[in-house]
Amino acid sequence: MARPPAYLPPPQLDGRQLFARYAARDVRYMVGARDTDPQHRYLDHACGAAMQGQTRVARQLAYVGSEHDLSQRWQIPVDHPQRQIPGAAHGAVQLFGAPEAVQWIFPTPSGTARHESAGSRLP
């Protein structure tokens, strides 16, 4: 920000430094492949949101593209994979409950999905 609001403390890092710190983190972008309804009742329709894309899938792809552009401009490598989960729309159960999503978020060394035994569950 060129001129941050008075309530924000003075910045300690510039934009490039913030991006470098962010690029070094383990970040994964996930969206439901069927989250493509431009009229969804919970989709932000404000002008700024609409400029990012008409659907959540479009917005995710635009964000990842923007991240890639900054990576190239500042010569800072970034590897934040994005994935569209087949069959899921905007429901948390469909999205986070999909076996592909679980395996991607919580990979196991053998590459197989985790299976929880009754004795390992928290109360």
Side-chain angles (χ1 to χ4, degrees), residues 25-67:
R25 295 191 173 158
D26 181 12
V27 176
R28 298 162 194 225
Y29 302 109
M30 184 171 71
V31 68
R34 293 181 42 235
D35 201 349
T36 57
D37 180 0
Q39 299 304 316
H40 191 276
R41 64 183 178 159
Y42 296 124
L43 182 67
D44 187 351
H45 291 94
C47 183
M51 289 188 67
Q52 296 171 15
Q54 295 301 309
T55 67
R56 289 184 189 90
V57 170
R59 292 175 188 182
Q60 174 174 310
L61 294 173
Y63 185 84
V64 170
S66 177
E67 183 180 84

